[in-house]
Amino acid sequence: MTQTPIDTPTQTPPGAEVRWLDAEQQAAWRALLTGTSVLFEALGRDLEHGTGLSLHEYEVLVRLSEAPGRVLRMSVLAEELVHSRSRLTHTVSRMERDGLVSRCSSSQDGRGVDCMLTDAGMARLEEAAPVHVASVRRRLIGALSREQLLDLGVAFNQIDDAVRAHRS
Amino acid sequence: MTQTPIDTPTQTPPGAEVRWLDAEQQAAWRALLTGTSVLFEALGRDLEHGTGLSLHEYEVLVRLSEAPGRVLRMSVLAEELVHSRSRLTHTVSRMERDGLVSRCSSSQDGRGVDCMLTDAGMARLEEAAPVHVASVRRRLIGALSREQLLDLGVAFNQIDDAVRAHRS
DNA sequence: AACGAGTAGTTGAACGTTGTAGTAATGAGG
DNA sequence: CCTCATTACTACAACGTTCAACTACTCGTT
């Protein structure tokens, strides 16, 4: 059923022949690709249906709730969430319109903007958290042994480090 | 720095107290969340810059190239890629406009539509594959031991199964 | 053979994201 | 103290995705 799609690799820059993935590597990579899609789709749907928040909005609330004074610079927030600045601006604008966060220009650095969690935002987070935690337990944690979960954490930290190192 | 954001969980439906995640589970889940964002962002950018294809478009090409006759029903393709039907329709419409695939209504079932990889699409895939494989090697495979990678594949297959089982 | 229920795919509008510019504030060098 | 480079964020437009109809076909009943 699965025939090799490509057996004559085209040339890459100078003389660098590409080593293809073997069957096991292929399968693992494919499982990661599909598994993450299925997982995040399910988590997003659970949260959306249960609380009206998207995963991204929820993450914004979480990060702010953990910050001292419940305040973070927009750029720091963008960095933590791995979002573009532009994307974060839009997301935060919507959340500000809904009263979950508020913005004011930073006192330290006139260029910066501070984003603060409002009481309403905190209340919304407290309401959403049990729904989300239950969802994560059911979809992710329940599917793995404790060791598998922790190994998975280690692996993704390594991946994260590798990717960031490769473009500094 | 990281204070507990929520210590008084609100009530969930009937008497079901939520068990919170312990610190290790939290850390693992957070690593997964951030790691996948960083990884897919990097893979997407590598591919986009190197070939002008998005990861999604690339996956469409791959699945078609592996199918017998390089043809798949739209619904099968949507299922494999974990995309909504509507999303796939839009994506395929753009790809058809660019000459990478073609569509014709299925001879078996008048409701169905077959999507076929064109020669141009196959050529485009052969051109993109080495770029993508190199990227996956660099970002993902190079960051892990072989065993870690295979374990990761196993874990995501379990997650996939669990999620799908929970909504059949 | 005609109905209704169900399935397959498309459409269009609303929404969210990305990329490209643009504005504003800081800070180093002349 | 003025410029130029840098950093921080926002605005706008192009693009992609989602959601809710809508069309078209199939299949099991009656």
Side-chain angles (χ1 to χ4, degrees):
Chain A
M1 200 65 61
T2 303
Q3 67 214 40
T4 310
I6 301 148
D7 42 30
T8 17
T10 57
Q11 216 78 340
T12 33
E17 276 295 315
V18 176
R19 241 180 331 136
W20 299 96
L21 307 188
D22 64 42
E24 288 184 325
Q25 290 173 323
Q26 266 277 10
W29 158 236
R30 204 60 81 85
L32 169 59
L33 195 54
T34 304
T36 51
S37 294
V38 168
L39 175 63
F40 286 114
E41 196 275 332
L43 294 177
R45 215 165 27 74
D46 287 346
L47 190 63
E48 189 83 51
H49 285 207
T51 72
L53 290 170
S54 74
L55 267 180
H56 296 316
E57 292 166 334
Y58 181 82
E59 272 303 305
V60 170
L61 297 179
V62 169
R63 301 287 174 163
L64 287 176
S65 78
E66 292 172 352
R70 294 182 185 167
V71 173
L72 280 178
R73 281 284 282 275
M74 289 291 281
S75 54
V76 173
L77 199 46
E79 171 68 20
E80 286 195 9
L81 298 173
V82 197
H83 286 196
S84 68
R85 284 158 198 280
S86 167
R87 178 182 182 177
L88 184 64
T89 296
H90 287 300
T91 302
V92 166
S93 297
R94 286 188 296 271
M95 294 177 73
E96 188 173 37
R97 186 200 55 202
D98 298 345
L100 303 177
V101 302
S102 64
R103 273 180 295 191
C104 57
S105 67
S106 168
S107 37
Q108 332 293 333
D109 183 340
R111 294 168 298 183
V113 172
D114 283 339
C115 182
M116 184 172 69
L117 187 59
T118 63
D119 290 345
M122 190 65 195
R124 194 70 185 284
L125 175 58
E126 285 175 352
E127 185 188 312
V131 174
H132 181 59
V133 170
S135 172
V136 171
R137 266 197 189 287
R138 216 156 57 105
R139 311 300 198 177
L140 172 68
I141 295 180
L144 304 175
S145 71
R146 182 169 192 95
E147 203 187 342
Q148 279 182 309
L149 179 64
L150 299 190
D151 286 352
L152 199 142
V154 171
F156 275 102
N157 278 325
Q158 286 174 217
I159 292 167
D160 192 332
D161 291 347
V163 171
R164 292 191 204 262
H166 248 292
R167 60 195 188 86
S168 55
Chain B
M1 199 67 61
T2 301
Q3 68 213 42
T4 309
I6 299 148
D7 41 31
T8 15
T10 58
Q11 216 77 339
T12 34
E17 276 295 314
V18 176
R19 243 181 327 139
W20 299 95
L21 307 188
D22 64 42
E24 288 185 326
Q25 290 173 323
Q26 266 277 12
W29 158 236
R30 206 57 85 84
L32 169 61
L33 194 55
T34 304
T36 52
S37 291
V38 168
L39 175 62
F40 286 114
E41 196 276 332
L43 293 177
R45 215 167 26 76
D46 288 347
L47 190 64
E48 189 82 51
H49 285 206
T51 72
L53 290 170
S54 74
L55 267 181
H56 296 316
E57 292 167 334
Y58 181 82
E59 272 303 305
V60 170
L61 297 179
V62 168
R63 300 288 175 160
L64 288 176
S65 79
E66 291 172 350
R70 294 179 184 169
V71 173
L72 279 178
R73 280 283 285 273
M74 289 291 283
S75 54
V76 173
L77 200 46
E79 172 68 19
E80 286 194 8
L81 298 172
V82 197
H83 286 198
S84 68
R85 287 158 196 277
S86 163
R87 178 183 182 179
L88 184 65
T89 295
H90 287 302
T91 302
V92 165
S93 296
R94 288 187 295 270
M95 294 176 74
E96 188 172 37
R97 186 201 55 203
D98 298 345
L100 302 177
V101 301
S102 64
R103 271 181 295 191
C104 56
S105 68
S106 167
S107 36
Q108 332 292 333
D109 184 340
R111 295 167 298 181
V113 170
D114 283 338
C115 183
M116 186 172 67
L117 187 60
T118 63
D119 291 345
M122 189 67 197
R124 194 72 184 285
L125 175 58
E126 285 174 352
E127 186 186 311
V131 174
H132 180 60
V133 170
S135 173
V136 171
R137 267 197 188 287
R138 216 157 54 108
R139 310 300 198 178
L140 172 67
I141 296 180
L144 304 175
S145 71
R146 181 168 191 95
E147 203 187 343
Q148 278 181 308
L149 179 64
L150 299 189
D151 286 351
L152 198 141
V154 171
F156 275 102
N157 278 325
Q158 286 174 215
I159 292 167
D160 192 331
D161 291 345
V163 172
R164 291 191 205 262
H166 248 291
R167 58 194 190 89
S168 54

